[in-house]
Amino acid sequence: MISKEDDIILKILCGQEFDEKTFRDFEYQIFSKAKRYGVSTQIFSELKRRKIRSEIFYFDYLLNLKKIKNNFEALKFLAKSGFDFVLLKGFSVAQKYYGDLRIRHAGDIDLLIKESDKDKFLNFLFESGFSTIPLSKIKEKIGHAIQFKNGDISVGVHTWLCDRLFVDIKYEDVETEFTKIKFKNEYIKVKTLSSEWDLIELSCHLFQHAFPLRIFLDISKVILNSHQNAVKLIHI
């Protein structure tokens, strides 16, 4: 049986009516689960749209806003490096399908690069003050990314689109487009995946991360807010 807090979360995310008194009674539990599911920022956006004030969701939004600002500045720096990369997930999905970086939770900056550029790009990150984050044994075997950190900034450098346990897809295999990533009065123009490839990448990660709600939500946003070529999807 679905819990009261899960029921409220799903109704908020789906744009359905819900009992505001029940929301107030279970506000902390709803927030706790929303954080665990990775959808707290999206819920705050829906609450704001409905003019429902929640201090705990607002505070979480402010923390996320700070991370977005830091990530945006880091992405500007990376875009000026001269390296050819494709921006994956996070910022790309937020901009193209949510329409606003502030609505979606800010995580790592994930970049897909050419295998031939890997050593030079990693050296560039090391020289820029980044250090690697140790991986688990299983990630060392089948992982597709190297994680870097510099203060509050985390960068995932991918030479494969997803863990190779699922499929072998490299930079050269994907189709890309240019996207303007906007924050306040600034924007950065970077390569992102086409909408068909966004669906493929998110679907692979859906399995890889054991079906989290946040990725289901991302997939629904891609389907609802873009046009996919069915023939191209089948071909991929």
PDB file of all heavy atoms in Angstrom, residues 37-51:
ATOM      1  N   TYR A  37      14.514  10.594  -3.147  1.00  0.00           N
ATOM      2  CA  TYR A  37      14.143  10.307  -4.530  1.00  0.00           C
ATOM      3  C   TYR A  37      14.795  11.276  -5.526  1.00  0.00           C
ATOM      4  O   TYR A  37      14.711  11.066  -6.740  1.00  0.00           O
ATOM      5  CB  TYR A  37      12.627  10.396  -4.704  1.00  0.00           C
ATOM      6  CG  TYR A  37      11.824   9.407  -3.908  1.00  0.00           C
ATOM      7  CD1 TYR A  37      10.497   9.682  -3.571  1.00  0.00           C
ATOM      8  CD2 TYR A  37      12.364   8.193  -3.477  1.00  0.00           C
ATOM      9  CE1 TYR A  37       9.730   8.777  -2.848  1.00  0.00           C
ATOM     10  CE2 TYR A  37      11.609   7.288  -2.742  1.00  0.00           C
ATOM     11  CZ  TYR A  37      10.300   7.582  -2.421  1.00  0.00           C
ATOM     12  OH  TYR A  37       9.545   6.698  -1.700  1.00  0.00           O
ATOM     13  N   GLY A  38      15.407  12.356  -5.023  1.00  0.00           N
ATOM     14  CA  GLY A  38      16.063  13.317  -5.904  1.00  0.00           C
ATOM     15  C   GLY A  38      15.117  14.264  -6.620  1.00  0.00           C
ATOM     16  O   GLY A  38      15.435  14.777  -7.695  1.00  0.00           O
ATOM     17  N   VAL A  39      13.929  14.538  -6.017  1.00  0.00           N
ATOM     18  CA  VAL A  39      12.927  15.373  -6.689  1.00  0.00           C
ATOM     19  C   VAL A  39      12.478  16.562  -5.838  1.00  0.00           C
ATOM     20  O   VAL A  39      11.449  17.177  -6.124  1.00  0.00           O
ATOM     21  CB  VAL A  39      11.693  14.532  -7.103  1.00  0.00           C
ATOM     22  CG1 VAL A  39      12.084  13.468  -8.127  1.00  0.00           C
ATOM     23  CG2 VAL A  39      11.030  13.888  -5.884  1.00  0.00           C
ATOM     24  N   SER A  40      13.238  16.894  -4.804  1.00  0.00           N
ATOM     25  CA  SER A  40      12.805  17.957  -3.891  1.00  0.00           C
ATOM     26  C   SER A  40      12.696  19.315  -4.584  1.00  0.00           C
ATOM     27  O   SER A  40      11.790  20.103  -4.287  1.00  0.00           O
ATOM     28  CB  SER A  40      13.757  18.059  -2.693  1.00  0.00           C
ATOM     29  OG  SER A  40      15.075  18.351  -3.114  1.00  0.00           O
ATOM     30  N   THR A  41      13.596  19.597  -5.519  1.00  0.00           N
ATOM     31  CA  THR A  41      13.570  20.887  -6.208  1.00  0.00           C
ATOM     32  C   THR A  41      12.368  20.990  -7.137  1.00  0.00           C
ATOM     33  O   THR A  41      11.741  22.053  -7.241  1.00  0.00           O
ATOM     34  CB  THR A  41      14.868  21.099  -7.005  1.00  0.00           C
ATOM     35  OG1 THR A  41      15.984  20.821  -6.171  1.00  0.00           O
ATOM     36  CG2 THR A  41      14.978  22.526  -7.494  1.00  0.00           C
ATOM     37  N   GLN A  42      12.040  19.883  -7.807  1.00  0.00           N
ATOM     38  CA  GLN A  42      10.861  19.879  -8.663  1.00  0.00           C
ATOM     39  C   GLN A  42       9.586  20.072  -7.840  1.00  0.00           C
ATOM     40  O   GLN A  42       8.665  20.769  -8.261  1.00  0.00           O
ATOM     41  CB  GLN A  42      10.769  18.554  -9.441  1.00  0.00           C
ATOM     42  CG  GLN A  42      11.846  18.395 -10.510  1.00  0.00           C
ATOM     43  CD  GLN A  42      13.047  17.625 -10.006  1.00  0.00           C
ATOM     44  OE1 GLN A  42      13.458  17.790  -8.861  1.00  0.00           O
ATOM     45  NE2 GLN A  42      13.626  16.787 -10.855  1.00  0.00           N
ATOM     46  N   ILE A  43       9.550  19.466  -6.659  1.00  0.00           N
ATOM     47  CA  ILE A  43       8.378  19.628  -5.795  1.00  0.00           C
ATOM     48  C   ILE A  43       8.275  21.069  -5.307  1.00  0.00           C
ATOM     49  O   ILE A  43       7.183  21.649  -5.271  1.00  0.00           O
ATOM     50  CB  ILE A  43       8.433  18.642  -4.608  1.00  0.00           C
ATOM     51  CG1 ILE A  43       8.142  17.230  -5.120  1.00  0.00           C
ATOM     52  CG2 ILE A  43       7.421  19.024  -3.521  1.00  0.00           C
ATOM     53  CD1 ILE A  43       8.194  16.160  -4.060  1.00  0.00           C
ATOM     54  N   PHE A  44       9.411  21.676  -4.945  1.00  0.00           N
ATOM     55  CA  PHE A  44       9.379  23.091  -4.535  1.00  0.00           C
ATOM     56  C   PHE A  44       8.796  23.958  -5.648  1.00  0.00           C
ATOM     57  O   PHE A  44       7.981  24.853  -5.388  1.00  0.00           O
ATOM     58  CB  PHE A  44      10.785  23.586  -4.183  1.00  0.00           C
ATOM     59  CG  PHE A  44      10.836  25.074  -3.985  1.00  0.00           C
ATOM     60  CD1 PHE A  44      10.356  25.653  -2.818  1.00  0.00           C
ATOM     61  CD2 PHE A  44      11.329  25.912  -4.985  1.00  0.00           C
ATOM     62  CE1 PHE A  44      10.367  27.033  -2.639  1.00  0.00           C
ATOM     63  CE2 PHE A  44      11.351  27.294  -4.821  1.00  0.00           C
ATOM     64  CZ  PHE A  44      10.863  27.845  -3.639  1.00  0.00           C
ATOM     65  N   SER A  45       9.203  23.699  -6.896  1.00  0.00           N
ATOM     66  CA  SER A  45       8.694  24.479  -8.027  1.00  0.00           C
ATOM     67  C   SER A  45       7.178  24.348  -8.152  1.00  0.00           C
ATOM     68  O   SER A  45       6.473  25.342  -8.401  1.00  0.00           O
ATOM     69  CB  SER A  45       9.367  23.997  -9.322  1.00  0.00           C
ATOM     70  OG  SER A  45       8.830  24.656 -10.434  1.00  0.00           O
ATOM     71  N   GLU A  46       6.659  23.120  -7.948  1.00  0.00           N
ATOM     72  CA  GLU A  46       5.217  22.901  -8.025  1.00  0.00           C
ATOM     73  C   GLU A  46       4.491  23.573  -6.855  1.00  0.00           C
ATOM     74  O   GLU A  46       3.415  24.146  -7.026  1.00  0.00           O
ATOM     75  CB  GLU A  46       4.915  21.402  -8.043  1.00  0.00           C
ATOM     76  CG  GLU A  46       5.122  20.755  -9.397  1.00  0.00           C
ATOM     77  CD  GLU A  46       4.171  21.306 -10.443  1.00  0.00           C
ATOM     78  OE1 GLU A  46       2.959  21.383 -10.177  1.00  0.00           O
ATOM     79  OE2 GLU A  46       4.649  21.693 -11.527  1.00  0.00           O
ATOM     80  N   LEU A  47       5.083  23.509  -5.666  1.00  0.00           N
ATOM     81  CA  LEU A  47       4.484  24.172  -4.503  1.00  0.00           C
ATOM     82  C   LEU A  47       4.432  25.686  -4.710  1.00  0.00           C
ATOM     83  O   LEU A  47       3.426  26.337  -4.401  1.00  0.00           O
ATOM     84  CB  LEU A  47       5.284  23.848  -3.238  1.00  0.00           C
ATOM     85  CG  LEU A  47       5.230  22.397  -2.740  1.00  0.00           C
ATOM     86  CD1 LEU A  47       6.183  22.220  -1.556  1.00  0.00           C
ATOM     87  CD2 LEU A  47       3.814  21.996  -2.338  1.00  0.00           C
ATOM     88  N   LYS A  48       5.507  26.221  -5.251  1.00  0.00           N
ATOM     89  CA  LYS A  48       5.566  27.669  -5.516  1.00  0.00           C
ATOM     90  C   LYS A  48       4.494  28.069  -6.528  1.00  0.00           C
ATOM     91  O   LYS A  48       3.820  29.098  -6.364  1.00  0.00           O
ATOM     92  CB  LYS A  48       6.952  28.038  -6.039  1.00  0.00           C
ATOM     93  CG  LYS A  48       7.154  29.527  -6.259  1.00  0.00           C
ATOM     94  CD  LYS A  48       8.562  29.812  -6.753  1.00  0.00           C
ATOM     95  CE  LYS A  48       8.744  31.300  -7.022  1.00  0.00           C
ATOM     96  NZ  LYS A  48      10.091  31.589  -7.589  1.00  0.00           N
ATOM     97  N   ARG A  49       4.332  27.237  -7.564  1.00  0.00           N
ATOM     98  CA  ARG A  49       3.314  27.518  -8.576  1.00  0.00           C
ATOM     99  C   ARG A  49       1.913  27.533  -7.968  1.00  0.00           C
ATOM    100  O   ARG A  49       1.054  28.316  -8.372  1.00  0.00           O
ATOM    101  CB  ARG A  49       3.405  26.466  -9.691  1.00  0.00           C
ATOM    102  CG  ARG A  49       2.474  26.702 -10.858  1.00  0.00           C
ATOM    103  CD  ARG A  49       2.667  25.653 -11.943  1.00  0.00           C
ATOM    104  NE  ARG A  49       2.256  24.332 -11.508  1.00  0.00           N
ATOM    105  CZ  ARG A  49       0.994  23.922 -11.499  1.00  0.00           C
ATOM    106  NH1 ARG A  49       0.005  24.737 -11.871  1.00  0.00           N
ATOM    107  NH2 ARG A  49       0.691  22.692 -11.114  1.00  0.00           N
ATOM    108  N   ARG A  50       1.699  26.696  -6.963  1.00  0.00           N
ATOM    109  CA  ARG A  50       0.394  26.616  -6.300  1.00  0.00           C
ATOM    110  C   ARG A  50       0.294  27.575  -5.107  1.00  0.00           C
ATOM    111  O   ARG A  50      -0.679  27.557  -4.373  1.00  0.00           O
ATOM    112  CB  ARG A  50       0.145  25.185  -5.823  1.00  0.00           C
ATOM    113  CG  ARG A  50       0.114  24.156  -6.942  1.00  0.00           C
ATOM    114  CD  ARG A  50       0.027  22.758  -6.377  1.00  0.00           C
ATOM    115  NE  ARG A  50       0.322  21.752  -7.376  1.00  0.00           N
ATOM    116  CZ  ARG A  50      -0.378  20.630  -7.554  1.00  0.00           C
ATOM    117  NH1 ARG A  50      -1.414  20.385  -6.778  1.00  0.00           N
ATOM    118  NH2 ARG A  50      -0.030  19.767  -8.465  1.00  0.00           N
ATOM    119  N   LYS A  51       1.344  28.380  -4.903  1.00  0.00           N
ATOM    120  CA  LYS A  51       1.402  29.375  -3.821  1.00  0.00           C
ATOM    121  C   LYS A  51       1.288  28.716  -2.441  1.00  0.00           C
ATOM    122  O   LYS A  51       0.618  29.228  -1.541  1.00  0.00           O
ATOM    123  CB  LYS A  51       0.312  30.441  -4.012  1.00  0.00           C
ATOM    124  CG  LYS A  51       0.508  31.229  -5.302  1.00  0.00           C
ATOM    125  CD  LYS A  51      -0.528  32.308  -5.496  1.00  0.00           C
ATOM    126  CE  LYS A  51      -0.253  33.064  -6.795  1.00  0.00           C
ATOM    127  NZ  LYS A  51      -1.282  34.035  -7.115  1.00  0.00           N
TER     128      LYS A  51
END
